[in-house]
Amino acid sequence: MLIDNENIDKMIKDLTSQQFDYSGYYLIHFLNGNNKKNLEYLFKTFLKLFIYNVNVVTSHNDQNIQLLTFLIFTEKSCNSSDPVIVNEYKNLKWNINLFYPPKMRNLHNCTMNVAGAIYEPAIMAQGDYENDNYTLIGVDVELINEVADVLNFSTKFIYESTPGGWGKINEDGDATGCFLQLMKREADLMIGFVARTEIVVVIPSGAPFNAFEKLFQPFQSEVWIAFGATFVLGIILVTLITLKKNKMWKNILIGEESKTPVMDIISTIVGGSIRVLPRRTTARILLVAFLFFCLVKRSLYTSALYKFLQSDSRKPAVTSIQEMIDNDFIIYYYPAFKQNYQGSKIFVIGEEIDQSEVSAYQRKTLDARFKGAVVNYDSQVLVLNEPIVIALSTWSFPKDSYLLKIFDETMSALRENELQNSKMYFQTPHSNTFQVVTEGKL
């Protein structure tokens, strides 16, 4: 790039992240570079844009050329944009073979403002928060301390004690909570939750069977169908044989003594007695076989019914959101869930409640007659089997932050050393206000 004192602002205006890679390397030939005030203004503006690999070439004459840059972190200063000479061209050669000194490998114990909100077990306050006598602990706190040791920086936590205190980015571009602190550059980054968790829907258990339904529970529906088909077929055959004018087959198969064979079948099925027995051998054999079949069936049914009555078996609980919609359930959720997971199908039958009411509504799910469910992060009671949303933790930075690249490299190194086992990737939210580093579970 070639600029002079008069077109600094114009050049900077054209430096957008859509057209230029802010993490790239830039060499600027600054005409009249001996104007220190303009050079300081140039570097200060680049620092605000997070463009840090910038060198400026200034020349007083053909024999004396200077290469200047700014070092953000040094032993004497932090977030500095003061011009520093890194190399000089004299006697037809450069003094040293170094043109772009590394600026992010050592942050020289400078302080990074780290925003975060309570989010167990990622960030927790141990001690007395109200009297400002507490220590932050948790997965994310440990991890940011590991990164701080590698990059040599200190941390100052900006801690929001309320659940959901990380805030959100509104559609109009405004922000709240920790996101607002990033937008105002009051925080250098915001840590979130690194471990992978599932948001669950706490549901009531299945309803108990009523007295009539319990009678049909010992056997599966297929068994009942087989029994029913057998008995109906037997009744049809007996009826057809009885109605025939020729009584020979009735006398052989049923016996001429039986006047009500259909009622005898029904009585035998339910364990009743037959008052009149056939005299023919064939009819007696068939009757004994049928009686033995009914005896085995009743014994199996009685034992299965006794075992069922001794258990606390219930109707199956709901297994999906669609099933809850079909059964007129209401899903209760807290405000932060709605803020962070817009578009979830839960809102079709959802109703917002205050955060303080979540526990009370969760206790209601212990009543099987309660036609409702509660959104929560974890639960020791029954939860819906259908996955609702995976909350992958994010570390957020101001857009185009120069910390992104070095954090990515450092976390990759930690992962290779088995401190982590998941791949890091970058993601840009729809508002295009922040860039986000997302991690999987430890």
Side-chain angles (χ1 to χ4, degrees):
M1 297 181 182
L2 181 65
I3 64 172
D4 57 28
N5 296 333
E6 297 179 356
N7 64 3
I8 293 178
D9 291 328
K10 182 179 182 304
M11 182 208 71
I12 292 174
K13 184 179 180 180
D14 295 334
L15 280 175
T16 62
S17 58
Q18 287 76 23
Q19 296 176 321
F20 294 89
D21 180 8
Y22 281 7
S23 63
Y25 293 83
Y26 295 85
L27 180 63
I28 300 174
H29 185 195
F30 197 4
L31 301 178
N32 301 319
N34 56 342
N35 189 324
K36 184 178 179 181
K37 183 177 180 181
N38 285 344
L39 191 58
E40 290 177 347
Y41 173 73
L42 177 67
F43 283 158
K44 185 177 181 179
T45 305
F46 275 125
L47 180 60
K48 289 181 178 180
L49 293 173
F50 296 120
I51 302 176
Y52 61 96
N53 285 319
V54 179
N55 284 350
V56 172
V57 175
T58 62
S59 59
H60 299 282
N61 53 63
D62 294 339
Q63 302 298 321
N64 188 5
I65 300 175
Q66 292 183 332
L67 189 66
L68 298 97
T69 189
F70 61 96
L71 301 176
I72 306 174
F73 306 103
T74 66
E75 294 181 357
K76 297 181 179 180
S77 61
C78 300
N79 295 316
S80 173
S81 60
D82 296 335
V84 177
I85 298 174
V86 295
N87 211 336
E88 285 187 290
Y89 186 82
K90 291 181 179 180
N91 301 325
L92 302 178
K93 66 176 182 179
W94 292 97
N95 288 348
I96 57 176
N97 190 26
L98 176 66
F99 301 95
Y100 288 94
K103 300 180 180 181
M104 296 294 163
R105 294 298 178 186
N106 186 350
L107 305 190
H108 295 282
N109 202 35
C110 289
T111 300
M112 296 289 112
N113 293 320
V114 181
I118 182 170
Y119 194 7
E120 299 178 359
I123 308 174
M124 298 173 287
Q126 189 178 62
D128 187 359
Y129 178 79
E130 293 183 357
N131 295 321
D132 200 28
N133 184 23
Y134 67 94
T135 302
L136 290 184
I137 60 174
V139 178
D140 273 19
V141 177
E142 294 177 4
L143 186 56
I144 192 65
N145 288 335
E146 290 286 347
V147 176
D149 290 340
V150 174
L151 297 180
N152 188 26
F153 65 84
S154 59
T155 56
K156 178 183 178 182
F157 289 100
I158 306 173
Y159 179 59
E160 293 286 344
S161 62
T162 57
W166 53 82
K168 66 173 183 176
I169 305 173
N170 299 319
E171 295 181 358
D172 58 4
D174 292 335
T176 60
C178 295
F179 282 109
L180 180 61
Q181 294 171 350
L182 284 180
M183 183 176 291
K184 291 182 176 180
R185 302 285 179 89
E186 295 174 358
D188 296 294
L189 72 152
M190 180 183 75
I191 59 177
F193 191 56
V194 176
R196 179 176 177 172
T197 62
E198 284 189 1
I199 291 179
V200 298
V201 175
V202 183
I203 59 176
S205 61
F209 295 100
N210 59 41
F212 185 73
E213 291 172 331
K214 290 179 180 178
L215 296 176
F216 293 91
Q217 296 309 308
F219 293 150
Q220 295 180 350
S221 58
E222 293 84 356
V223 178
W224 282 117
I225 292 173
F227 282 157
T230 302
F231 295 141
V232 170
L233 181 61
I235 291 173
I236 292 174
L237 291 175
V238 169
T239 302
L240 292 176
I241 293 173
T242 304
L243 294 177
K244 289 180 69 67
K245 293 182 178 180
N246 187 350
K247 303 298 181 181
M248 181 185 68
W249 288 108
K250 176 181 180 298
N251 296 337
I252 294 174
L253 299 176
I254 301 175
E256 60 180 333
E257 296 80 10
S258 179
K259 304 301 180 184
T260 55
V262 174
M263 292 302 299
D264 290 341
I265 291 177
I266 297 174
S267 178
T268 303
I269 291 174
V270 298
S273 61
I274 300 177
R275 296 182 179 277
V276 180
L277 297 178
R279 294 180 181 178
R280 283 182 174 269
T281 303
T282 304
R284 284 176 175 268
I285 293 174
L286 292 175
L287 177 60
V288 170
F290 183 67
L291 289 172
F292 184 74
F293 171 75
C294 291
L295 176 64
V296 173
K297 183 268 301 179
R298 287 198 307 273
S299 299
L300 292 174
Y301 175 79
T302 304
S303 61
L305 179 62
Y306 177 80
K307 182 179 180 181
F308 175 79
L309 294 176
Q310 297 300 311
S311 65
D312 188 28
S313 299
R314 295 170 174 264
K315 296 177 183 179
V318 291
T319 58
S320 67
I321 298 296
Q322 186 58 48
E323 186 177 349
M324 299 177 78
I325 295 174
D326 296 339
N327 288 277
D328 299 324
F329 271 65
I330 298 176
I331 301 180
Y332 300 94
Y333 56 85
Y334 47 90
F337 177 81
K338 183 177 182 179
Q339 294 172 2
N340 293 288
Y341 303 105
Q342 289 285 356
S344 172
K345 56 185 176 180
I346 283 179
F347 300 118
V348 175
I349 53 174
E351 181 177 314
E352 184 174 325
I353 59 175
D354 190 74
Q355 182 75 37
S356 60
E357 298 179 286
V358 171
S359 297
Y361 274 87
Q362 185 164 311
R363 285 193 294 271
K364 290 183 179 181
T365 62
L366 299 176
D367 183 358
R369 296 168 295 181
F370 178 62
K371 299 195 71 173
V374 184
V375 173
N376 208 341
Y377 284 103
D378 191 16
S379 176
Q380 301 300 319
V381 293
L382 188 64
V383 299
L384 191 68
N385 291 330
E386 179 182 349
I388 304 303
V389 64
I390 302 300
L392 285 180
S393 184
T394 59
W395 285 17
S396 303
F397 299 78
K399 187 176 181 295
D400 302 313
S401 171
Y402 45 68
L403 295 176
L404 277 172
K405 185 176 181 180
I406 190 61
F407 266 67
D408 182 28
E409 294 175 355
T410 304
M411 298 283 268
S412 298
L414 293 176
R415 184 174 62 248
E416 291 175 1
N417 290 332
E418 298 184 356
L419 286 179
Q420 296 209 330
N421 63 3
S422 60
K423 186 178 180 180
M424 172 183 292
Y425 60 93
F426 293 108
Q427 175 182 330
T428 304
H430 66 276
S431 64
N432 203 30
T433 306
F434 304 99
Q435 287 183 324
V436 180
V437 180
T438 305
E439 279 294 325
K441 61 183 179 181
L442 289 176

